[in-house]
Amino acid sequence: HFSEIYIGKKVLELTINPTHDEIGRVNGAALIVNDMTYRRLFEVALRHEIDKAQRYLDFAAVLMLVLDPQGKVTLVNKKGCAILDFLIEDIIGKNWFDAFTPQHLQASLKTDFLRMMKGEVKTQTYGEYPIIRKNGQQRLVAWHTTILTDDTGVITGMLYSGEDITERGK
């Protein structure tokens, strides 16, 4: 059993585990105390930075999204939600290709994406393909993409910036 307690500005995590004698009877308890103060401060600071980044992305006039290496949406801005006509919680965590691209393109787009994530093919920096809105309507989007990597160069995902160009051809 564990719980957090607050003593002044300190955050302590208490873990209590029963101890047993040689025949299995509880004969005491082991108490472990971890100082979580700096971890909680770090989590608050990190949440603040994430919220700030989300505000910047929400200001963009184009659809912005980030996919993890498996193609799941990890970030989408307000414009993206508006274009797709979904709430953010209905988008985050979904596989982009399965949920938001036309069925006839899903396999090829997913295969190309996965090959880019493995570094097998060069990342396309521009492309046009349709998306599916909540009501089933298709919208044509012009995409600009860039690969995301960590500090060691390992591919961590893909950043997409998309402009709805459906009306351009009409």
Side-chain angles (χ1 to χ4, degrees), residues 37-170:
T37 307
Y38 293 111
R39 180 176 177 172
R40 294 297 177 253
L41 290 172
F42 174 76
E43 288 171 352
V44 168
L46 180 60
R47 171 58 35 211
H48 175 74
E49 289 302 313
I50 291 170
D51 290 345
K52 188 165 68 172
Q54 185 70 49
R55 285 193 305 275
Y56 292 148
L57 289 173
D58 286 344
F59 185 72
V62 295
L63 185 162
M64 301 281 295
L65 72 122
V66 173
L67 302 183
D68 73 8
Q70 292 74 44
K72 289 184 182 173
V73 180
T74 60
L75 183 141
V76 64
N77 68 345
K78 285 183 182 179
K79 182 69 172 185
C81 293
I83 290 172
L84 291 164
D85 193 28
F86 279 97
L87 299 174
I88 192 168
E89 56 267 20
D90 297 325
I91 300 171
I92 299 294
K94 296 278 186 347
N95 182 285
W96 174 257
F97 305 101
D98 294 340
F100 305 106
T101 61
Q103 190 170 7
H104 71 280
L105 295 174
Q106 288 175 358
S108 64
L109 288 173
K110 193 184 297 188
T111 299
D112 291 347
F113 173 82
L114 292 173
R115 291 184 69 210
M116 285 186 276
M117 289 297 98
K118 292 177 183 174
E120 294 174 1
V121 295
K122 185 178 176 190
T123 305
Q124 298 173 341
T125 56
Y126 178 83
E128 296 177 7
Y129 71 84
I131 60 169
I132 302 290
R133 300 186 77 217
K134 186 176 185 177
N135 65 6
Q137 176 191 32
Q138 290 189 25
R139 304 294 294 178
L140 183 61
V141 175
W143 295 101
H144 295 274
T145 61
T146 188
I147 218 90
L148 300 173
T149 59
D150 66 14
D151 293 340
T152 64
V154 173
I155 296 172
T156 60
M158 183 85 73
L159 171 65
Y160 289 84
S161 169
E163 180 182 2
D164 184 343
I165 59 170
T166 306
E167 304 303 321
R168 182 177 74 182
K170 294 182 178 181

